Amino acid sequence: MDLQWMAWTWPTALFFAAIALILAAMTAWEIASPTVARRGFLPMETTRGDRLFIGLLGSAYIHLAWLALGDASLWIAFGIAIVWMAVVMRLG
Amino acid sequence: MDKPWNNRAWLLVLPVVAIVAFSAILPLMTVVNYSVQDIFGPGQAYWVGTEWYRKVLEDERLRDALLRQMLYSLAVLAIEIPLGVAIALCMPSGKGWRTSLTLVLLALPLLIPWNVVGTIWQIFARGDIGLGGAALQRLGLDYNYTGDPLDAWLTVLAMDVWHWTSLVALLAYAGLQAIPPAFYQAAKIDGASRWSVFRYIQLPKMRGVLIIAVLLRFMDSFMIYTEPFVLTGGGPGNATTFLSQFLTRMAVGQFDLGVAAAFSIIYFLIVLLFSYVFYTFITKVGTGDAR
């Protein structure tokens, strides 16, 4: 199958591979140990999947805000997003 | 809540996931790929990294279009949801020709294609030959939707209300019809006022369908394209240029595929955020789970 029209690049392929890996890992985790909804600092009860979604969406916004606000390296935004993701998954 | 959830049943939805993968996920991946490259044609793409994202985020026209879009969606929800509920409350209940006739009349606007709705309102609102436009001018109002931004806005809003309030009304009506008569009998015995019946019986019982109505109308209005495009073409100036029209101009008009792709991703994230916040808020309100 010719996928030239999709204009793949290595960074975007790695990005989607990482997302797919996260989803596969979450599914395996869910099967091994089903999630229990709980309430953390987020203003509602959340499951593990909810917190992953909120974490990923928040990470996207952190990167966009970083791009909008200055010219500093995007790796710093990536670091902040990792911290945000960990905080949401653990304490959200 | 202590009961653990078992999500193994999700495996049963795998066939749907496969179909969605081809119709939505692959195109979305392509858009992400395009957003980091300068696309000249098949096989002619050059890596630009985050340049298009920076360009889009710094674009004042995008901010203006986003503000207009949010204002428009809020106005649509503020008008259509209460109006739809009010119409549903006034509709005849039970079986009979009155109910059937009302349902058919309400369903009519929903059957008309978007571009035809735009054309109908384009003619209807014209000051020279349009019934609505000419009538307003005869009443002494200086109405001109092609030249006045406020008139254009009100016309686009009126068009949306005309087209989609029926959907809210029909959904709310379905919710009302599902309320068992015992609830009304109990309210009557307690001597509840009309307002109390609405506030404590009808509104909570309509919650499920109203969630769907709000989400559908929000997402639809946030992605509106055809009707304003046909009616005003985004004008006068950019007064009624909403996000999707701005995006189309960029992608099709200027063939700026990379920039348009970056814009699409940002647009997608905005819709995703708003829908999630709306959904979470509405599903928690009244369940004792909202803070």
Side-chain angles (χ1 to χ4, degrees):
Chain A
M1 190 165 63
D2 184 14
L3 290 178
Q4 200 183 41
W5 63 275
M6 286 185 79
W8 279 104
T9 65
W10 276 109
T12 51
L14 284 173
F15 168 75
F16 283 115
I19 298 281
L21 269 177
I22 290 172
L23 291 179
M26 289 293 283
T27 307
W29 189 6
E30 185 65 34
I31 291 168
S33 152
T35 182
V36 179
R38 64 166 165 81
R39 194 192 284 260
F41 71 84
L42 292 168
M44 69 270 184
E45 224 174 41
T46 54
T47 63
R48 214 181 276 147
D50 291 333
R51 291 192 291 279
L52 175 74
F53 177 78
I54 294 166
L56 286 175
L57 193 59
S59 301
Y61 275 92
I62 288 169
H63 283 87
L64 285 181
W66 195 263
L67 284 175
L69 296 175
D71 291 329
S73 168
L74 206 59
W75 288 107
I76 302 170
F78 183 68
I80 297 170
I82 295 279
V83 173
W84 159 253
M85 195 79 198
V87 168
V88 170
M89 289 303 282
R90 186 74 191 87
L91 307 169
Chain B
M1 186 182 288
D2 297 326
K3 189 184 170 193
W5 292 94
N6 186 341
N7 284 331
R8 284 180 201 183
W10 286 106
L11 288 172
L12 296 172
V13 299
L14 273 181
V16 177
V17 172
I19 295 169
V20 171
F22 277 99
S23 64
I25 299 176
L26 284 183
L28 183 64
M29 284 173 156
T30 309
V31 173
V32 172
N33 290 341
Y34 278 26
S35 72
V36 290
Q37 298 178 86
D38 203 356
I39 306 286
F40 292 100
Q44 287 180 297
Y46 301 94
W47 173 262
V48 295
T50 55
E51 192 180 323
W52 299 146
Y53 285 93
R54 283 188 200 279
K55 189 175 173 182
V56 169
L57 288 167
E58 286 164 5
D59 194 336
E60 277 190 19
R61 289 171 308 163
L62 165 72
R63 288 179 204 164
D64 291 346
L66 177 63
L67 205 65
R68 272 194 295 274
Q69 188 73 69
M70 284 162 69
L71 204 61
Y72 179 74
S73 289
L74 286 177
V76 159
L77 288 181
I79 297 169
E80 289 179 17
I81 300 296
L83 188 60
V85 172
I87 291 171
L89 288 170
C90 296
M91 282 169 68
S93 58
K95 288 176 182 170
W97 67 270
R98 284 190 191 85
T99 309
S100 306
L101 182 69
T102 315
L103 289 175
V104 169
L105 285 177
L106 274 178
L108 277 178
L110 302 175
L111 300 174
I112 304 173
W114 291 271
N115 51 349
V116 178
V117 170
T119 311
I120 290 172
W121 275 79
Q122 193 189 38
I123 297 167
F124 178 73
R126 275 179 64 163
D128 50 356
I129 57 166
L131 191 63
L136 286 173
Q137 288 193 350
R138 289 287 170 87
L139 287 170
L141 294 170
D142 186 22
Y143 172 80
N144 177 12
Y145 81 93
T146 55
D148 185 86
L150 181 65
D151 290 348
W153 253 86
L154 293 176
T155 312
V156 174
L157 259 180
M159 176 178 63
D160 201 282
V161 169
W162 177 83
H163 196 188
W164 290 110
T165 304
S166 303
L167 176 75
V168 182
L170 289 173
L171 284 169
Y173 183 72
L176 284 174
Q177 293 305 300
I179 302 174
F183 281 82
Y184 294 113
Q185 287 159 7
K188 202 172 181 182
I189 290 167
D190 288 345
S193 64
R194 182 71 193 85
W195 168 251
S196 298
V197 171
F198 174 70
R199 172 68 186 82
Y200 297 107
I201 297 176
Q202 292 173 320
L203 198 56
K205 287 286 175 189
M206 281 193 290
R207 197 167 142 262
V209 288
L210 286 182
I211 289 171
I212 296 171
V214 168
L215 275 177
L216 280 178
R217 286 315 304 132
F218 169 72
M219 286 187 290
D220 259 0
S221 63
F222 210 79
M223 297 185 287
I224 192 167
Y225 174 73
T226 315
E227 294 106 312
F229 175 72
V230 175
L231 180 64
T232 61
N238 280 327
T240 54
T241 300
F242 298 114
L243 284 175
S244 53
Q245 200 173 339
F246 188 66
L247 173 63
T248 311
R249 264 187 212 166
M250 212 182 263
V252 183
Q254 301 160 15
F255 206 69
D256 261 343
L257 292 182
V259 187
F263 181 98
S264 301
I265 297 295
I266 294 170
Y267 192 3
F268 172 65
L269 288 171
I270 293 168
V271 174
L272 205 58
L273 177 70
F274 273 79
S275 301
Y276 186 72
V277 169
F278 258 123
Y279 179 76
T280 309
F281 178 73
I282 297 168
T283 49
K284 305 295 178 196
V285 169
T287 62
D289 198 22
R291 245 182 224 172

